[in-house]
Amino acid sequence: MCIILIAVGLGPGDPELITLRAARLLREADSVFVPGEMAYNLVSAYRNDAITLDFPMTADESYIESCMEENAQKIAPHALMGTAVFGIIGDPNFFSTFSRLTAILKRDHPEIECSTVPGISSITALPSVAGVPIQKSFSVSDGSEQDVRITLKVRRPRQTADDLKREGYSEFILVERMYMDDMTIYSGDELPEKSNYFSILYARRP
């Protein structure tokens, strides 16, 4: 039996912008969870039995944490019995609650494997809606201190990492030819001297 929880990105709000993989997983999952009515409406064409959970929009950290604990305990029994899918508006790895939820699940139920499926985020949807193509580097912020940098088209990853180390970055992951048959992932000191044009470097400050 596969004990797994998969967070799938539901896109920026248009049901036609849900990926084919997300649609397939929603249909095939043993159980589906969503954080609120908007997400439920997006998945209803694929699953009308999705379970809606409450994730409050508040600055009260203690209340948020208690809700995370409660929702994690609601999801766990379903994930322990099969494949559970958690549908999230946008992308589950960008400013989403999923990382906090999985931290609790990994602590209390380490046997549950958690993974994510990317979705179209508001970051990439904005240029299309606003009619403003992005041709050069840009920054995205929620107002907090920047601790991650993503660099595209990295041809000399080791040199780039050395330059970033001088700015305080210490954790590095390079993904070369993402989702292609010969995709390769490097981390830490394994970064190659040269890489393919289709390479992305993730760098994080401690």
Side-chain angles (χ1 to χ4, degrees):
M1 180 182 295
C2 187
I3 301 174
I4 190 168
L5 172 64
I6 308 171
V8 300
L10 301 177
D14 184 337
E16 292 188 338
L17 292 179
I18 292 179
T19 67
L20 294 173
R21 181 176 293 184
R24 176 178 62 78
L25 289 169
L26 288 168
R27 291 191 184 102
E28 295 177 355
D30 296 301
S31 55
V32 174
F33 296 86
V34 290
E37 183 179 357
M38 183 177 177
Y40 179 84
N41 291 337
L42 287 172
V43 307
S44 60
Y46 309 97
R47 290 292 290 262
N48 58 13
D49 61 344
I51 301 168
T52 304
L53 302 175
D54 181 34
F55 287 86
M57 303 293 284
T58 175
D60 186 338
E61 278 295 323
S62 61
Y63 182 55
I64 292 173
E65 191 64 22
S66 67
C67 288
M68 289 288 176
E69 294 272 358
E70 182 180 338
N71 287 327
Q73 299 316 313
K74 289 179 180 178
I75 292 171
H78 294 267
L80 289 168
M81 291 189 296
T83 299
V85 163
F86 187 74
I88 298 177
I89 294 170
D91 183 285
N93 293 300
F94 281 84
F95 303 99
S96 86
T97 59
F98 189 67
S99 59
R100 297 183 65 166
L101 190 67
T102 53
I104 297 170
L105 286 169
K106 288 176 181 178
R107 181 196 69 198
D108 297 341
H109 301 280
E111 67 273 34
I112 297 176
E113 178 184 346
C114 298
S115 63
T116 62
V117 171
I120 298 173
S121 71
S122 60
I123 299 165
T124 53
L126 172 66
S128 180
V129 172
V132 286
I134 307 297
Q135 300 291 352
K136 293 187 177 182
S137 298
F138 66 98
S139 62
V140 176
S141 174
D142 66 346
S144 60
E145 184 178 354
Q146 178 179 307
D147 64 357
V148 171
R149 181 179 295 184
I150 295 174
T151 308
L152 308 177
K153 307 174 185 178
V154 180
R155 302 305 296 271
R156 295 187 177 275
R158 194 177 300 172
Q159 178 182 328
T160 302
D162 287 340
D163 293 339
L164 289 172
K165 285 178 182 177
R166 288 191 282 272
E167 298 181 33
Y169 293 89
S170 60
E171 179 184 341
F172 302 96
I173 299 174
L174 179 78
V175 181
E176 188 175 30
R177 298 179 64 82
M178 189 186 310
Y179 288 116
M180 301 180 192
D181 291 339
D182 54 349
M183 179 179 76
T184 308
I185 301 176
Y186 305 90
S187 61
D189 297 330
E190 300 174 351
L191 296 181
E193 187 68 35
K194 297 180 180 180
S195 60
N196 187 271
Y197 173 85
F198 297 104
S199 295
I200 301 178
L201 179 67
Y202 166 94
R204 182 176 180 272
R205 287 191 177 105

